[in-house]
Amino acid sequence: MRIGVISAMPEEVQSILDVLKNVKITKKGMRSYYEGTFYNKEIVVVFSRWGKVAAAVTTTQLINDYKVDEIIFTGVAGALSSDLNVGDIVIGEKLFQHDMDTRPLFDRFEIPLLGKTYFKTQQNVQLESAVTSFTNTIENSISKVVLQEFKISKPKVVQGSVLSGDQFIASKEKVAELLKAIPSAQCVEMEGAAVAQVCFEYEIPFSIVRIISDSANDEAPIDFPKFTKSVACKYAKGILKNYIK
Ligand code: ADE
């Protein structure tokens, strides 16, 4: 069993590399694929790069050249649900490409030739418990000072729809429009549904965890580089460790 790990942030990849053993690096198509053992389990980790096309290319190469049995995606996302705050976690169930619109040929969001408006992730109870045990012991991974800085106390964990598109969303109007079209939407990002489509086409089980980094509106942005380095990386590494152990 070999797990493919795709991260949306190079810093997340680096935090996994910090503990990856027997590392073999190969470079293809501007991407570096790191094969190795993570807590005694074989994994291959790679930075997705940003946007749907980049993520689809990375995923296709990961599946074809590295023979992974399942793929887990980690990264940050903007909240769409008003219940979610910075530091909360979304485990994706349905992945939509929110900028796919070929009306009147097909329905809004429908992926041509596949007859699907969303892709489902694999049922993954182990991932749910990996996430919950991470949030229950978050203070072992992230200092109190950093948690306070980002106003994170007890992160919420929700399961639901993840929307992907080639846009950084930063307006209340766009958030309202997306929620009206897809009421089950929890968060928005730029890669997940592309990875999900490739996994569907190649019949590879797929899971996704997204950490809320912002509210996808015009509120004062957080210190993104700091959030990624001191919060999101710790989530990705901690959740993956719990999942694999
Ligand atoms: N990733 C993190 N925040 C995002 C946002 N607001 N829109 C798109 N992708 C994101």
Side-chain angles (χ1 to χ4, degrees):
M1 215 26 205
R2 199 176 203 213
I3 301 179
V5 178
I6 308 182
S7 292
M9 293 285 171
E11 296 88 345
E12 286 175 305
V13 172
Q14 187 53 53
S15 75
I16 290 166
L17 292 183
D18 291 345
V19 285
L20 197 67
K21 299 218 170 87
N22 313 313
V23 186
K24 182 178 163 205
I25 308 170
T26 41
K27 290 194 176 161
K28 297 183 188 203
M30 300 188 177
R31 288 139 174 86
S32 294
Y33 293 80
Y34 303 91
E35 296 168 83
T37 44
F38 183 80
Y39 298 97
N40 297 320
K41 184 108 191 167
E42 264 190 70
I43 70 165
V44 188
V45 61
V46 61
F47 166 41
S48 57
R49 297 169 74 91
W50 294 323
K52 303 204 307 297
V53 173
V57 169
T58 308
T59 308
T60 309
Q61 202 153 37
L62 180 63
I63 292 171
N64 282 331
D65 293 5
Y66 297 89
K67 305 289 170 236
V68 292
D69 300 292
E70 70 166 297
I71 288 181
I72 298 191
F73 193 102
T74 66
V76 298
L80 291 175
S81 159
S82 55
D83 290 341
L84 292 176
N85 298 303
V86 169
D88 290 343
I89 298 181
V90 179
I91 301 176
E93 283 180 339
K94 292 180 181 173
L95 280 288
F96 290 80
Q97 294 178 19
H98 71 74
D99 52 359
M100 176 60 79
D101 190 346
T102 57
R103 289 174 293 179
L105 302 180
F106 300 103
D107 287 345
R108 188 173 181 196
F109 309 124
E110 184 172 333
I111 310 296
L113 308 184
L114 296 181
K116 285 180 164 291
T117 48
Y118 59 81
F119 300 95
K120 273 191 176 166
T121 52
Q122 66 165 326
Q123 283 269 10
N124 198 337
V125 187
Q126 269 155 278
L127 184 62
E128 285 166 47
S129 59
V131 170
T132 315
S133 41
F134 176 79
T135 57
N136 286 343
T137 55
I138 194 161
E139 284 171 13
N140 298 341
S141 308
I142 304 176
S143 75
K144 274 199 175 132
V145 177
V146 170
L147 291 171
Q148 270 164 9
E149 180 182 347
F150 290 102
K151 302 193 178 69
I152 300 170
S153 48
K154 170 83 182 70
K156 260 191 237 88
V157 181
V158 301
Q159 303 196 29
S161 299
V162 176
L163 276 47
S164 312
D166 290 318
Q167 294 163 3
F168 190 88
I169 305 298
S171 94
K172 271 195 207 107
E173 291 73 26
K174 186 69 189 174
V175 169
E177 197 261 314
L178 289 171
L179 277 172
K180 189 166 175 232
I182 305 171
S184 63
Q186 297 290 337
C187 66
V188 63
E189 37 84 310
M190 299 175 58
E191 297 82 20
V195 178
Q197 179 176 342
V198 176
C199 287
F200 170 78
E201 292 177 353
Y202 282 86
E203 299 180 56
I204 300 289
F206 169 67
S207 310
I208 179 166
V209 178
R210 285 284 189 176
I211 298 128
I212 299 301
S213 58
D214 58 83
S215 304
N217 60 24
D218 46 12
E219 269 171 23
I222 57 156
D223 181 343
F224 225 88
K226 184 159 190 196
F227 181 79
T228 307
K229 193 162 178 290
S230 52
V231 181
C233 283
K234 307 279 166 66
Y235 276 60
K237 188 172 165 181
I239 290 168
L240 193 64
K241 178 178 163 188
N242 292 347
Y243 183 66
I244 274 167
K245 280 188 157 181

